[in-house]
Every structure is written in structure tokens, then in C-alpha cells.
Amino acid sequence: MAFRLPASQLCKAAAANPASAIRPLRSLGIARNVPQQQLRWLATPTSSPPVTRNATGSKGPTAIVFLNMGGPATTDDVGDFLSRLFADGDLIPLGRLQGYLGPFISKRRTPKIIKQYAAIGGGSPIRKWSEHQCEEMCKLLDKMSPETAPHKPYVAFRYAAPLTEETYAKLLADGFGNGKGGRAVAFTQYPQYSCSTTGSSLNELWKWRQRLEGKAGPLEDGKDGTIQWSVIDRWPVHAGLVEAFAKNIEDKLAEYPEERRDKVVLLFSAHSLPMSVINRGDPYPAEVAATVYAVMQRLNFSNPYRLCWQSQVGPSAWLGPQTATSVEEYIAKGQKDLVLIPIAFTSDHIETLYELDQEVIGESGHADTVKRAESLNGNPIFIEALADLAKKHLDSGISCSAQMGLRCPGCKSDRCLESKKFFAGQTTVPEA
Ligand SMILES: C=CC1=C(C)c2cc3[nH]c(cc4nc(cc5[nH]c(cc1n2)c(C)c5CCC(=O)O)C(CCC(=O)O)=C4C)c(C)c3C=C
Ligand code: FES
Ligand SMILES: [Fe+2]
């Protein structure tokens, strides 16, 4: 693997010895991939680096595609959101009854969920936050990784606009694929991998890739001219993610009087999963637990803590303990100082703003002592963490994590089989 230096350091090397800058850099294996034209610039120390927001590096442009479930932007969008959600066999497997039961359940559920979105201001803020996070992250990446710049931000939602098919069509219209190749990174915004969330988004991305791209090319270089995909599929213990969560917890703990502070119970809360999904071998509970433990390590285990699970839907068995009952039970035991920490979401939405704030805390009878840590939203530490994850991924030359290629022991899905084969089999730009 070639040793690669950022442009700023190459510039310093050239400035120190402008006349003979090119040959030694090449012979050292440094900048082996940097085109001659760029090296010529390096040998002229008085010129400034040709790195601007829109400068194209030797490997750019790069599309960064944030994957998430999305949410209804207005109460009018709730019906469509729920009907897509209940049609997703990766999230709610209803087998041959999917086409009949899915629309039936979603229609029946819509009025109740409309009221919940109305109570949080009329819609989910998930699109606003996702677009903001992706745009800001791409600005940082342009500086951190000039060779893959410009980094172009895209959001692909599973159940709400902008839907995966819409975003895929936009990528093609923007000059990726269509015989031109180009690089895109599918970046899941679920830090912990579940086949019902990230897995579903990747299966959907693969489906639209087959429908919209098929096989283009072949081109002169033997490649087929389709988009070259790689995936950031999980990041449960990334140091920046852990730091952002830990800081938000410290800020919330600071609101308690000093003499009570270290006895406050930290209640980490993650969206639950049906037991059938867990017994299939889904990696999500283990990865959520890994995040919780990493955050507690960063906090030096300052407080007692538990992990509980929220947002169960329907009558089947789900992983517990439930967040709402855990709060009630601690209060009944006399433990009224509690901080709730949403640990599996990166922005606010109905599960934080309605379920935790209005139902769990609002109805606890102790809204003054039961509090919630801020969601990550526009937190700059979090956005830097996203940029660091992307930079490391781009540098690594890998197409996805080793975990991505492995299916759950109980998986029977052909969608998983095909999409995992595709994403794990993509070859990314090799480091010479
Ligand atoms: C890590 C996050 C999530 C997991 C895991 C997850 C699993 C999961 N969800 C359902 C069913 C529903 N989820 C709904 C809303 C919703 N779910 C998540 C996240 C995860 N879901 C979020 C962020 C949201 C809210 C979106 C927003 O407001 O922006 C809903 C719709 C609301 C409702 O009807 O209650 C359903 C239904 C299942 C079945 C499942 C695991 C298999
Ligand atoms: S359900 Fe986990 S890989 Fe298919
Ligand atoms: Fe959900």
C-alpha cells in the first residue's frame, strides 16, 4: 500500500526543495498517485494550493449518501410514510400477507400517529438534520481529503422523501454512473447495525441500483461505468460519537445539584426489536450495548446506568426492559433522578420529542428530576466524527466491514443474500 500524504504536507516538502521535489517524492513512494500536473504545482512553492470547495482531487468527485429511515415532513405525509414502512418485509415481515396486511395496519394506525406528529410541531425534523449533517460533514471532508474532493452530499430515506430511488436518479443526473463510473459511499446513519434498519436501506439501494443502472459500459479501462459503491455500515464505538454522547450527558448531569449528581441513574434508551429478529441473530443489541459501554468508559463510570428499549409496536414479544416501565419502576423504588439518553438515533424525531419527552417524562409526574440528554442533531463534535469516519473509510480502500458479508444465522432472505454479495464484492479504488 502506498504511503500517501495530504496536499498540505506535500506542499511543505516541495517548498523545502522546489527544484527536485518531484523525483524524490515519486521514488519514496509518496504521491505515487498524484498526477504530474499536481506535482508540478508542488514544485512551485509561491502558488497557493488548488484546493477549493469545488476543486476536483485525483480521485474526486465523491458522493456521500446518508442512509436513514426518514420521517413524514408534515402530518399529510404520515399515511404514505406508514404505508411504505408496513410494506417493508425487511422491517415487518408479513410474508405473503404483506400486500394485504401492510396497507390495512398502516391505514388503521395513521390517525394515532398523525396526532403524535402534530404534537411535535407537525412533522419529523429528521430530513432537516440529515441534510444539515451531511452538508457540513462534506465541507469538512473537502479540507481533510482533497484527493477525493469535492464530496457531494446526498440523503436517501427508506420511507419518506427523498426516497432511495429519487436520490439514485439524482446521482445519475449529477454525472455519477451512466458509463462514467464515479465513486459513492453509502453512509448509514444508524450507528449500530440492524438488518431491519441499515440492512433494509442497503437492500433498497441495491434494488434501485439493479433497476436504474443495470450494466453500463464496458469502458476502455475494462470497468463497466456503473457507480462504484462502498459502505460505512456501522460505527457503534467511534471515539467522536462516544465523545458527543458523553458531553451531552455531562451537560445534563450538571443541571442536578452537586450533592445528588453522582447518584443520578443514566437510562440509555434504544429502539427495541422484536424477539424474532433478535433470535435470527441480528447484531443490533450487541452493538447498542457496545456504544453504551464505551460512553460509560469515557465517563469513568461516574454514575449507575442501565440500557432499556423503547417504541415497541404490535402484540408480538419485543426486547425489554421497556423504557417507559423502567422509569415508572425506578420512581416507585424511590429513584427519581433519572437521565434518559437516546443512544441509537443521531437526531430528534417522534421517538425522542413525543415518546420520551411527552409520554415518558411528561407522564412520569417528575418532569423536574427525570430529564433527557440532547440529541446529536447539529452538534459540531458529532459532525466532526462523521467526517473522521468518512475520511478513514476513504483512506482504507475497503468496500465495507468484514461483518457486512456475514448473514444472520437465521436469515432466509434472498434480498440480503444478493445485496450483501454485491456490496461486499465491490472493489474500491486500490491504494497503489
Ligand atoms: C435504531 C433505530 C430503529 C430501529 C432498530 C427500528 C426498528 C423497528 N421499527 C419498527 C416500526 C416502526 N418504527 C417507526 C418509527 C421510527 N423508527 C425509528 C427507528 C428505528 N426503528 C425512528 C427514528 C422512527 C421515527 C421516524 C421519525 O419520526 O422521523 C414507526 C412509525 C411510528 C409508529 O407507527 O409508531 C413504526 C411502525 C419495527 C417493526 C422495527 C423492528 C423490526
Ligand atoms: S436478516 Fe440478517 S442478514 Fe438477512
Ligand atoms: Fe422503528
Side-chain angles (χ1 to χ4, degrees), residues 146-167:
E147 66 274 22
T148 49
H151 302 88
K152 300 194 166 184
Y154 296 87
V155 169
F157 284 152
R158 184 68 184 83
Y159 313 117
L163 290 166
T164 311
E165 61 261 45
E166 190 183 328
T167 299

Side-chain angles (χ1 to χ4, degrees), residues 36 130 155 157 169 245 247 295 316 361 399:
Q36 187 70 22
S130 301
V155 169
F157 284 152
F245 276 132
K247 276 255 155 56
V295 171
S316 65
I361 298 178
S399 59

Side-chain angles (χ1 to χ4, degrees), residues 31-152:
R32 213 186 285 157
N33 291 338
V34 178
Q36 187 70 22
Q37 207 182 355
Q38 231 172 301
L39 286 175
R40 230 177 278 130
W41 162 78
L42 285 172
T44 318
T46 46
S47 64
S48 41
V51 179
T52 65
R53 178 85 175 93
N54 294 315
T56 302
S58 57
K59 292 181 180 176
T62 308
I64 307 285
V65 184
F66 271 22
L67 304 180
N68 212 334
M69 67 188 314
T74 68
T75 49
D76 287 344
D77 301 326
V78 171
D80 283 347
F81 169 72
L82 289 183
S83 75
R84 289 190 196 102
L85 194 146
F86 282 95
D88 179 5
D90 294 326
L91 185 80
I92 301 171
L94 299 172
R96 273 179 291 147
L97 295 178
Q98 195 97 38
Y100 166 76
L101 272 183
F104 175 77
I105 302 170
S106 65
K107 215 171 265 162
R108 219 184 42 176
R109 202 167 167 80
T110 295
K112 174 182 157 195
I113 303 302
I114 284 181
K115 280 194 199 128
Q116 297 185 358
Y117 280 103
I120 64 162
S124 172
I126 197 167
R127 180 172 187 170
K128 177 189 87 176
W129 286 123
S130 301
E131 288 175 343
H132 172 80
Q133 290 159 348
C134 196
E135 279 162 22
E136 292 305 307
M137 188 210 72
C138 282
K139 286 183 199 160
L140 292 180
L141 255 189
D142 282 353
K143 292 187 201 129
M144 293 160 70
S145 182
E147 66 274 22
T148 49
H151 302 88
K152 300 194 166 184

Side-chain angles (χ1 to χ4, degrees), residues 195 280 406-408 411 413 416 420:
C195 298
R280 194 170 62 194
L406 182 68
R407 288 164 72 201
C408 297
C411 175
S413 159
C416 292
K420 277 179 181 282

